[in-house]
Amino acid sequence: MAGNDNRTGSSDRRQRSKRDRDEEKPKREVLLVDDDAEMRDTIRFGLECAGYIVDTYDSGPDALNAMLAMPKDAQPRLLLLAIDLPGMDGHTLHEQLQRVRPRGFIVVFVSARDSDADQVRASAAGAVDFLVKPVSIPVLLGKVEVWFNQCKRVW
């Protein structure tokens, strides 16, 4: 019986240790810019359930101003960006952000537009991916850590 107690205790310590390590990891930040409230809420819910910190914006100018005010020395943030936005389209926002804060954000377009021209323009400006709406939340969540890890090697 004493042997069983030791194994159980060891297992509990391993589980506690993993949980402690997970709690110590800095939370990854995701910025979501989309004027479609239903899509924005769905994506935000999925990301937050997966443990990400999510800030949302529904217009280009609001998002750009907020991003330019963020500290430069922080970990790179993931920016999920729609194209059709009030005040400033996503391509223009991305291009301005790249001029002022190059390599400050990991940019992924999430758009209902699926034209080759939009995808090429996004890639040419430095976006790491382009997802066409409606977005599969499991696919999005599967890609988020890939994007963070790929960009970690580059920064």
Side-chain angles (χ1 to χ4, degrees), residues 3-21:
N4 289 340
D5 290 341
N6 286 338
R7 281 182 287 196
T8 302
S10 176
S11 174
D12 288 345
R13 281 192 299 275
R14 280 194 302 271
Q15 288 175 349
R16 242 187 339 267
S17 175
K18 180 183 181 329
R19 188 174 50 241
D20 292 343
R21 281 193 311 270

